Amino acid sequence: MPTTTWNRHHVLSLADFTAAEYDTVLQTAASFQEVLSRRTKKVPTLQGQVVANLFFEPSTRTRSSFELAAKRLSADTLNFAASTSSMTKGETILDTAKTYLAMGTDIMVIRHREAGVPNAIAAEMNRLGVKVSVLNAGDGQHEHPSQALLDLFTICTLIDPNHPRLELLKDKKIAIVGDILHSRVARSNIWSLTASGAQVHLAAPPTLLPKLFAEYVLEESGGERAGGAGEAEEAGGEEVVSISPSSQILNRQLFLHWQLEPALQDADFVMTLRLQKERMTAHLLPSLREYHQMFGITRAKLQLCKSNVKVLHPGPVNRGVEISSELMDDPEFSLIQSQVTSGVAVRMALLYLLGSGKASGI
């Protein structure tokens, strides 16, 4: 397994991931995907270690795939549910984390509705001087690193099944469509996809994609404006905000559209996102029907894209809203089931990379 370029103790964000780290994850995941194709799908890599899945909000795909990934690596698993925990009696999040630490946990996988909770737990583990790794499984509207990595792996293995790597996406056009404002998946995908040299085009109504989103990305990177980053341009009567390279974001290009067509034009891949109504605090859309007419992805709208375009969705899916049921189930275009399958291999890779320094052997 390629671990020579991996020195991370936690995975909290993709904002500062290097190209070497992306490739390490991709190549490690490819190795585990081969393991998962065998009759015996289990390896003793993390035998004796404990992986605690601390999910403070509901999840199906992420939680199940992390649990399966840990078991495929022979780790012991602990699963936390807030509704049946001592948090209902007043226990704090950090006290909960310390309880799992006292049980011998080696890796904590954290999901929370508030941004920054995984970072806070990681900081506490660092303060205590323990060798517990924290993996962000989605925090509020901040990031969802493992989802973006499995999306990256899904695309790269489609292009080169034997040697997935970041450079395969250089100059590819990738459209991300939907509720970008509330999406932690979109934020993580922006880091991974732009790091590859791809052109990333975001498309959504103005209420779900404000111009300030471009400035948010720059601020999160710690970069400074350069080369007109974040400036508005007129393109065909539509306002487009482009991010050109800054001192900290080299070879990264991000484009914002308030209409769907320019984002889809000649796109190689289209990723559509769920409308996250549970995070919306105001009426941001006239109706779901109108949204689908303007931004819902259908087979007819894909005619604007490259002929071999593929469609992704991180799930769960609102059928008939962000994507038509017909297209979602069409194997000619849809990579949605491949994303779910990729999730186990990628999460195995992340757990292995975080836990290999603690394990006794492979």
Side-chain angles (χ1 to χ4, degrees):
M1 296 292 179
T3 60
T4 54
T5 56
W6 187 268
N7 297 306
R8 286 183 180 267
H9 187 53
H10 308 295
V11 175
L12 304 172
S13 168
L14 298 185
D16 60 347
F17 255 54
T18 66
E21 287 174 318
Y22 281 117
D23 282 341
T24 296
V25 173
L26 293 173
Q27 292 160 26
T28 306
S31 298
F32 282 124
Q33 190 174 56
E34 190 277 326
V35 170
L36 292 172
S37 68
R38 302 174 189 169
R39 183 172 181 178
T40 301
K41 298 176 171 60
K42 207 166 188 176
V43 291
T45 308
L46 297 186
Q47 191 169 22
Q49 293 199 44
V50 177
V51 176
N53 293 313
L54 308 184
F55 279 58
F56 297 88
E57 69 172 4
S59 170
T60 299
R61 293 159 188 77
T62 304
R63 179 170 180 163
S64 298
S65 63
F66 266 117
E67 182 177 2
L68 183 57
K71 289 179 177 179
R72 293 288 189 235
L73 295 170
S74 301
D76 297 315
T77 58
L78 295 171
N79 292 311
F80 166 88
S83 60
T84 57
S85 74
S86 292
M87 291 188 70
T88 59
K89 303 175 184 178
E91 183 173 82
T92 68
I93 292 172
L94 288 181
D95 283 340
T96 298
K98 290 177 184 176
T99 297
Y100 280 88
L101 170 64
M103 293 180 187
T105 295
D106 298 283
I107 301 173
M108 294 184 184
V109 181
I110 313 291
R111 169 172 281 200
H112 200 281
R113 64 176 59 87
E114 299 294 335
V117 169
N119 296 65
I121 294 175
E124 182 66 9
M125 295 299 114
N126 293 342
R127 187 188 70 80
L128 293 172
V130 296
K131 294 183 178 181
V132 175
S133 295
V134 175
L135 204 161
N136 181 3
D139 61 330
Q141 293 173 208
H142 176 226
E143 280 206 49
H144 195 344
S146 65
Q147 179 66 49
L149 290 169
L150 75 87
D151 293 341
L152 184 68
F153 181 72
T154 302
I155 294 172
C156 289
T157 51
L158 178 72
I159 299 172
D160 187 345
N162 298 319
H163 186 33
R165 57 198 185 279
L166 198 64
E167 66 180 22
L168 293 172
L169 295 187
K170 184 173 175 57
D171 297 326
K172 297 288 187 183
K173 181 177 180 179
I174 301 175
I176 301 179
V177 181
D179 187 1
I180 294 162
L181 176 63
H182 301 96
S183 177
R184 54 197 175 202
V185 172
R187 286 167 170 81
S188 289
N189 267 297
I190 285 170
W191 297 125
S192 59
L193 297 175
T194 55
S196 70
Q199 292 189 12
V200 180
H201 290 250
L202 310 179
T207 52
L208 298 179
L209 183 58
K211 280 197 297 181
L212 289 174
F213 192 87
E215 296 180 13
Y216 165 86
V217 172
L218 285 177
E219 289 170 2
E220 285 288 300
S221 73
E224 299 177 358
R225 284 174 178 253
E231 294 180 357
E233 303 171 354
E234 290 296 325
E238 178 190 6
E239 189 169 43
V240 178
V241 178
S242 64
I243 290 185
S244 51
S246 77
S247 57
Q248 297 294 320
I249 312 180
L250 300 178
N251 302 319
R252 299 190 177 194
Q253 293 218 54
L254 184 69
F255 302 89
L256 277 61
H257 305 277
W258 291 341
Q259 294 178 10
L260 182 61
E261 289 74 15
L264 294 188
Q265 190 68 49
D266 296 323
D268 296 283
F269 296 92
V270 177
M271 180 182 298
T272 181
L273 303 172
R274 180 176 66 91
L275 288 178
Q276 300 191 35
K277 291 174 284 187
E278 73 277 9
R279 292 192 174 94
M280 295 182 186
T281 57
H283 296 287
L284 302 178
L285 297 170
S287 70
L288 296 181
R289 186 175 186 178
E290 182 174 328
Y291 175 85
H292 180 70
Q293 289 176 343
M294 296 181 66
F295 289 94
I297 304 301
T298 63
R299 193 178 294 170
K301 290 175 184 174
L302 290 184
Q303 292 178 7
L304 292 167
C305 306
K306 296 278 184 65
S307 59
N308 59 346
V309 66
K310 301 297 180 184
V311 178
L312 301 96
H313 192 304
V317 179
N318 294 310
R319 286 177 178 261
V321 179
E322 55 257 12
I323 185 172
S324 67
S325 286
E326 174 189 44
L327 181 57
M328 179 180 172
D329 297 328
D330 190 338
E332 181 183 352
F333 296 102
S334 178
L335 294 178
I336 296 173
Q337 289 304 311
S338 296
Q339 288 173 274
V340 177
T341 302
S342 296
V344 179
V346 169
R347 285 159 178 148
M348 286 177 72
L350 290 171
L351 293 175
Y352 165 76
L353 291 168
L354 290 176
S356 58
K358 307 179 184 79
S360 57
I362 297 177

